[in-house]
């Protein structure tokens, strides 16, 4: 295990364009885990500059998903922090100031070409088989032309001077990569209407927010050399870049609403345990050294190690996520599972108190994978038994029924109220009765639940509680 690094600052930088899907959530998970692992800061920055794609409530949806997963940021639009504002649109002053700084140092220049001229020259270059990026006739304008342009009303774009020759950058997963400066050309940083370009805003914000590690989807790899050039232009050391593989829909292909539940909150609504979704997402392209898969958030924080990330795209496997959900539900203190069940059960209608749910959680958690899995079972156990039905009447009218029910009541009256002693006491009572199991147990079960089949009777009685159990046995006897 690597020792903690000094001042790790990671960021999650979603655009508020809709519900957070599993792929983006996985990016958030790795950034959060890595920041926690190194006692650093996890920053949420909203990239809201594409106002046409932003949706109303987009920010709230992102927070709702992060909160559910337990990935609360240390700094962000809601939290505030020393590097704010945390919405990109509100950082326009910083973007302008940083562009002015590059003009001042001579690393950037004003370009007075109109977009249509640039486009026409681009097409001509393509036709002639020449590189298209290297079109910067304003790069070294004679001072006189410059003054003339500046005096005119035509607004200028701001572009970065990018020299020919290799631009090298390093990605933790892919190693050192190189692209030629000619293929990038003199990057536009600020458009002639004053809006910063995507890569300029991202790099300036990452620099200003002192981000130490940029962990993001592999789709952003082609942006990285452009951003690295900006770090160099500002004389700032680039962060560690980690481009993580893509999360694919079950069966392959892009994640979407149509292919399984793509949104993080869809999994909440289907009853998955949040820690299981976090656990699952962390395992998509990472594995613990000893191969352990069921890991609590704390265990993940302790073990996460970017050196163990794989580069292959992975399909969502809901079966595995459900298995993990079962593991996490089982490991949860009964108190917390009881609270989850309180949200999906008709607690009032069933006359349940906190203590009832807690006891039920102790014995029935092992039978569940999703939060709502135990609902039908709990309802059938706690609902007052219908002793008037044909099947129940048949069992209870058997000659041995009264004996079994009475002996059960006597045995349980003095038993410690735990599932195992209750089961043992019932077995002793059966032996004492001289009745076979198939004659003894069914009436007891029907008396308790009205059903001929169900889980272990010691567990059922334990969940029902002493008072309810003894009352039900008495009611069946009368
Ligand atoms: N806003 C970008 C996205 O949602 C992320 C940019 C980045 O991580 O550099 O994909």
């Amino acid at each position: 295990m690597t020792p903690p690094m000094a001042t790790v600052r990671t960021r999650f930088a979603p655009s508020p364009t809709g519900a957070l899907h599993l792929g983006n959530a996985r990016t958030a998970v790795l950034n959060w885990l890595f920041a926690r692992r190194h006692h650093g800061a996890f920053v949420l920055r909203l990239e809201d500059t594409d106002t046409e794609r932003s949706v109303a409530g987009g920010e709230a949806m992102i927070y709702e998903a992060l909160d559910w997963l337990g990935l609360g940021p240390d700094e962000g639009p809601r939290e505030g922090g020393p590097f704010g504002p945390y919405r990109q649109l509100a950082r326009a002053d910083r973007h302008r100031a940083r562009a002015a700084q590059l003009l001042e140092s001579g690393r950037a220049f004003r370009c007075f070409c109109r977009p249509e001229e640039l486009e026409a020259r681009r097409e001509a270059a393509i036709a002639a088989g020449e590189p298209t990026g290297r079109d910067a006739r304003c790069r070294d304008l004679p001072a006189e032309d410059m003054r003339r342009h500046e005096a005119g009303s035509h607004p200028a774009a701001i572009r970065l001077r990018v020299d020919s020759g290799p631009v090298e950058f390093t990605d933790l997963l892919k190693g050192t990569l190189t692209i030629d400066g000619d293929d990038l050309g003199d990057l536009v940083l600020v458009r002639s209407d004053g809006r910063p370009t995507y890569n300029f805003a991202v790099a300036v914000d990452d620099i200003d927010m002192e981000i130490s590690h940029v962990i993001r989807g592999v789709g952003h790899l082609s942006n990285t050399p452009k951003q690295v050039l900006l770090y160099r232009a500002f004389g700032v050391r680039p962060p560690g870049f980690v481009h993580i593989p893509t999360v694919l829909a079950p069966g392959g292909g892009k994640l979407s609403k149509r292919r399984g539940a793509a949104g993080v909150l869809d999994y909440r609504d289907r009853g998955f345990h949040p820690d299981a979704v976090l656990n699952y997402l962390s395992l998509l392209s990472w594995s613990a050294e000893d191969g352990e898969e069921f890991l609590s958030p704390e265990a993940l924080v302790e073990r996460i190690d970017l050196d163990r990330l794989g580069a292959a795209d992975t399909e969502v496997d809901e079966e595995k996520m459900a298995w993990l959900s079962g593991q996490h539900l089982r490991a949860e203190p009964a108190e917390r599972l009881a609270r989850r069940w309180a949200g999906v059960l008709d607690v009032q209608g069933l006359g349940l108190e906190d203590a009832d749910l807690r006891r039920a959680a102790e014995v029935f958690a092992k039978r569940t994978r999703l939060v709502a899995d135990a609902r039908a079972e709990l309802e059938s156990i706690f609902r007052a038994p219908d002793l008037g039905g044909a099947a129940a009447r048949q069992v209870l009218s058997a000659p041995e029924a009264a004996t079994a029910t009475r002996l059960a009541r006597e045995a349980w009256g003095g038993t410690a109220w735990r599932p195992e002693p209750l089961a043992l006491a019932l077995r002793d009572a059966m032996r004492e009765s001289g009745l076979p199991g198939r004659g003894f147990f069914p009436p007891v079960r029907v008396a308790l639940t009205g059903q001929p089949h169900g889980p272990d009777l010691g567990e059922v009685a334990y969940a029902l509680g002493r008072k309810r159990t003894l009352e039900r046995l008495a009611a069946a006897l009368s």
Side-chain angles (χ1 to χ4, degrees):
M1 207 195 296
T2 44
M5 299 178 190
T7 45
V8 164
R9 291 178 55 80
T10 65
R11 83 318 191 256
F12 176 48
S15 299
T17 51
L20 199 64
H21 67 61
L22 282 185
N24 275 341
R26 195 272 297 263
T27 301
V29 164
L30 288 179
N31 277 287
W32 181 85
L33 287 175
F34 187 67
R36 286 284 167 279
R37 165 78 185 81
H38 296 284
H39 313 295
F42 171 60
V43 178
L44 175 66
R45 181 174 76 229
L46 233 23
E47 306 216 318
D48 56 354
T49 48
D50 188 349
T51 47
E52 281 178 13
R53 291 183 57 229
S54 297
V55 300
E59 180 176 323
M61 283 192 257
I62 288 167
Y63 266 119
E64 196 178 347
L66 292 180
D67 288 344
W68 181 66
L69 287 171
L71 307 179
D74 300 299
E75 298 168 27
R78 178 181 71 188
E79 293 72 17
F83 295 89
Y86 292 90
R87 295 185 188 95
Q88 200 160 52
L89 212 45
R91 301 182 65 83
D93 287 352
R94 283 306 300 159
H95 303 144
R96 268 193 291 277
R98 284 294 199 173
Q101 188 186 342
L102 292 181
L103 283 173
E104 187 83 357
S105 67
R107 307 303 295 255
F109 62 93
R110 282 187 217 280
C111 174
F112 297 93
C113 299
R114 290 168 198 277
E116 15 346 322
E117 294 170 53
L118 286 172
E119 186 50 34
R121 297 209 295 264
R122 207 178 96 86
E123 279 167 18
I126 291 173
E130 288 164 11
T132 53
R134 180 63 65 215
D135 169 24
R137 60 179 58 179
C138 301
R139 194 179 222 244
D140 296 302
L141 276 187
E144 198 183 312
D145 291 359
M146 181 72 94
R147 272 195 298 279
R148 186 166 46 76
H149 275 303
E150 277 172 354
S153 58
H154 182 58
I158 300 174
R159 298 175 68 178
L160 185 72
R161 273 177 213 282
V162 177
D163 297 327
S164 301
V167 179
E168 264 193 9
F169 63 102
T170 305
D171 174 83
L172 184 81
L173 287 177
K174 304 191 182 286
T176 299
L177 302 168
T178 308
I179 181 168
D180 197 277
D182 278 337
D183 292 327
L184 297 172
D186 291 337
L187 304 172
V188 176
L189 307 181
V190 181
R191 300 179 185 90
S192 57
D193 63 6
R195 284 181 306 131
T197 54
Y198 172 77
N199 282 303
F200 185 59
V202 170
V204 165
D205 291 347
D206 284 340
I207 291 171
D208 285 350
M209 293 181 169
E210 297 178 14
I211 298 302
S212 66
H213 292 77
V214 169
I215 304 170
R216 61 184 171 196
V218 69
H220 288 288
L221 192 61
S222 59
N223 291 324
T224 308
K226 302 177 188 174
Q227 296 174 8
V228 164
L229 283 173
L230 283 161
Y231 278 86
R232 295 196 185 136
F234 285 115
V236 176
R237 202 167 75 108
F241 286 105
V242 187
H243 289 91
I244 49 181
T246 305
V247 182
L248 302 172
K254 221 167 120 71
L255 276 175
S256 74
K257 273 268 167 214
R258 274 172 296 124
R259 318 187 58 150
V264 170
L265 296 177
D266 294 330
Y267 289 93
R268 174 194 65 187
D269 298 343
R270 286 166 59 190
F272 286 80
H273 193 294
D275 291 351
V277 178
L278 174 74
N279 188 171
Y280 178 74
L281 291 175
S282 71
L283 293 177
L284 275 177
S285 44
W286 171 85
S287 56
E289 218 162 348
D290 59 3
E292 178 61 55
E293 298 209 295
F294 164 49
L295 295 161
S296 67
E298 296 73 29
L300 286 167
V301 165
E302 206 170 284
R303 291 170 176 228
I304 195 74
D305 179 355
L306 296 182
D307 290 340
R308 296 188 50 78
L309 280 180
D313 293 349
T314 344
E315 285 172 25
V316 172
D317 176 353
E318 292 191 346
E319 188 48 37
K320 180 160 175 186
M321 212 194 296
W323 172 76
L324 282 171
S325 180
Q327 300 293 312
H328 282 272
L329 282 174
R330 223 152 298 176
E332 187 155 72
E335 197 89 28
R336 297 231 318 257
L337 180 54
R339 247 177 283 137
R340 281 183 210 285
W341 278 348
V344 297
L345 278 172
D346 175 13
V347 171
Q348 272 197 327
L350 295 169
L352 295 180
E353 310 207 341
D354 290 352
D356 298 323
L357 279 170
R358 240 184 354 257
R359 285 191 316 273
E362 277 180 57
V363 287
F364 296 132
K366 59 178 182 289
R367 302 162 74 91
T368 64
R369 301 207 304 173
L370 306 185
V371 174
D373 277 354
R375 180 163 56 202
E377 193 157 65
L378 293 180
E379 282 173 358
S380 73
I381 287 172
F382 281 108
R383 205 183 299 117
D386 173 13
L387 302 182
R393 276 222 309 273
Q394 198 193 335
V395 173
L396 291 178
S397 62
E400 61 272 30
T403 312
T405 316
R406 187 173 43 76
L407 285 176
R409 195 163 69 128
E410 282 169 21
W412 279 348
T415 306
W417 213 259
R418 298 287 315 159
E420 304 76 26
L422 288 168
L424 285 177
L426 193 63
R427 216 162 314 142
D428 289 346
M430 179 204 80
R431 280 199 204 104
E432 198 186 308
S433 73
L435 294 170
R438 73 190 132 68
F440 183 87
F441 294 119
V444 178
R445 186 179 288 286
V446 166
L448 293 185
T449 66
Q451 322 279 323
H453 305 287
D456 175 80
L457 277 173
E459 293 184 347
V460 171
Y462 177 69
L464 285 172
R466 187 188 295 274
K467 182 162 172 286
R468 219 188 253 106
T469 297
L470 298 181
E471 277 170 9
R472 288 184 181 187
L473 290 170
L477 274 169
S478 62

